[in-house]
Amino acid sequence: MQGIFISMEGPDGSGKSTQITLLKDYLEGLGYETLVTREPGGTVISEHIRTIILNKEYTEMGYMTEALLYAAARAQLVTEVIAPALKAGKAIISDRFIDSSAVYQGMARGLGVDNVYQINSFATQGIMPDITFHLDLPAKVGLARAKGRAALDRMELESTAFHERVAQGYRDLAALDRNRIHTIDATASIEEIHARIVQLMDQYFKSKQD
């Protein structure tokens, strides 16, 4: 089988973890050996970087520092996990990837999308997801879900206005790359969201056969 790289994107609380589990089962049903990873994280080194990025005590962290730390964690993940898995013909599902940085740091932080993509293109050896699912959810709904789930990290503790910029940023980014990024209404039921993801995956595989 040819390797496939899928990313799941969306604001905090949009239900990515649930849909990733269902997508993994779907892919394994097709015969894929499937790996699930997360960002920032996915390797020992990347997980240590994650603890720095999300530590709520590091309120003085500069936006560029934040962007570069995300890129560093991503570089290690690509080198150690994603690139070898793709070469081996596996399916990789990542909870967030470059698009998160484009939205959170490029748009919501104001660093510029092009700047963020340039940094990350170098960090990831140019590897991009083959298909991306954007779970669209109003910021206030996502924050309410996140608050009910666990203690909030440094990014989750940002203002409502920041998270609203993130939610809108995802919509704007998806509009720029409709062939790769597919927006799905995350207020729908778990079953409805999964059915839409399966439909889009089936269309993707069919397009590769044509």
Side-chain angles (χ1 to χ4, degrees), residues 142-162:
L143 285 174
R145 290 180 181 180
K147 288 177 181 177
R149 184 180 61 216
L152 300 183
D153 60 39
R154 189 179 66 86
M155 298 298 289
E156 291 169 336
L157 284 169
E158 285 287 350
S159 68
T160 300
F162 173 82

Side-chain angles (χ1 to χ4, degrees), residues 49 53 66-76 101 116 119-120 123-124:
I49 297 172
I53 294 173
E66 182 180 277
L68 290 170
L69 284 172
Y70 273 109
R74 190 168 291 129
Q76 185 64 30
S101 287
V116 170
I119 292 167
N120 281 275
T124 64

Side-chain angles (χ1 to χ4, degrees), residues 5-9 96-100 102-103 113 117 127-134 170 173-183 200-201 204:
F5 180 22
I6 304 164
S7 62
M8 193 76 68
E9 295 281 0
R96 302 192 183 282
F97 198 62
I98 288 178
D99 297 316
S100 282
V103 170
V113 171
Y117 276 135
I127 290 176
M128 287 288 288
D130 296 297
I131 185 168
T132 296
F133 298 110
H134 160 223
Y170 270 118
L173 194 69
L176 296 174
D177 194 354
R178 296 185 187 278
N179 289 330
R180 176 176 64 86
I181 305 175
H182 301 275
T183 297
L200 290 165
M201 287 301 310
Y204 172 83

Side-chain angles (χ1 to χ4, degrees), residues 2-195:
Q2 183 177 357
I4 182 172
F5 180 22
I6 304 164
S7 62
M8 193 76 68
E9 295 281 0
D12 294 312
S14 58
K16 297 188 306 300
S17 297
T18 299
Q19 293 303 324
I20 285 171
T21 299
L22 293 172
L23 178 56
K24 180 177 185 289
D25 292 342
Y26 159 82
L27 290 169
E28 289 178 343
L30 296 179
Y32 273 101
E33 182 177 346
T34 306
L35 299 177
V36 173
T37 189
R38 70 173 182 174
E39 285 217 336
T43 73
V44 172
I45 292 171
S46 300
E47 290 290 338
H48 280 292
I49 297 172
R50 179 188 179 91
T51 64
I52 297 171
I53 294 173
L54 300 183
N55 191 325
K56 60 186 178 183
E57 296 181 6
Y58 296 162
T59 56
E60 72 276 18
M61 186 180 294
Y63 296 165
M64 182 58 74
T65 302
E66 182 180 277
L68 290 170
L69 284 172
Y70 273 109
R74 190 168 291 129
Q76 185 64 30
L77 179 64
V78 168
T79 298
E80 192 173 335
V81 176
I82 294 176
L86 287 174
K87 187 175 181 181
K90 299 177 183 178
I92 306 99
I93 310 171
S94 184
D95 185 344
R96 302 192 183 282
F97 198 62
I98 288 178
D99 297 316
S100 282
S101 287
V103 170
Y104 279 81
Q105 285 75 51
M107 294 179 174
R109 296 294 200 202
L111 294 182
V113 171
D114 289 343
N115 291 332
V116 170
Y117 276 135
Q118 186 175 3
I119 292 167
N120 281 275
S121 178
F122 175 72
T124 64
Q125 307 164 46
I127 290 176
M128 287 288 288
D130 296 297
I131 185 168
T132 296
F133 298 110
H134 160 223
L135 302 185
D136 186 26
L137 192 71
K140 289 183 179 179
V141 176
L143 285 174
R145 290 180 181 180
K147 288 177 181 177
R149 184 180 61 216
L152 300 183
D153 60 39
R154 189 179 66 86
M155 298 298 289
E156 291 169 336
L157 284 169
E158 285 287 350
S159 68
T160 300
F162 173 82
H163 288 285
E164 287 174 346
R165 292 197 298 274
V166 167
Q168 185 58 48
Y170 270 118
R171 297 178 194 120
D172 294 342
L173 194 69
L176 296 174
D177 194 354
R178 296 185 187 278
N179 289 330
R180 176 176 64 86
I181 305 175
H182 301 275
T183 297
I184 300 170
D185 181 4
T187 64
S189 70
I190 291 172
E191 294 78 15
E192 289 171 328
I193 296 169
H194 177 60

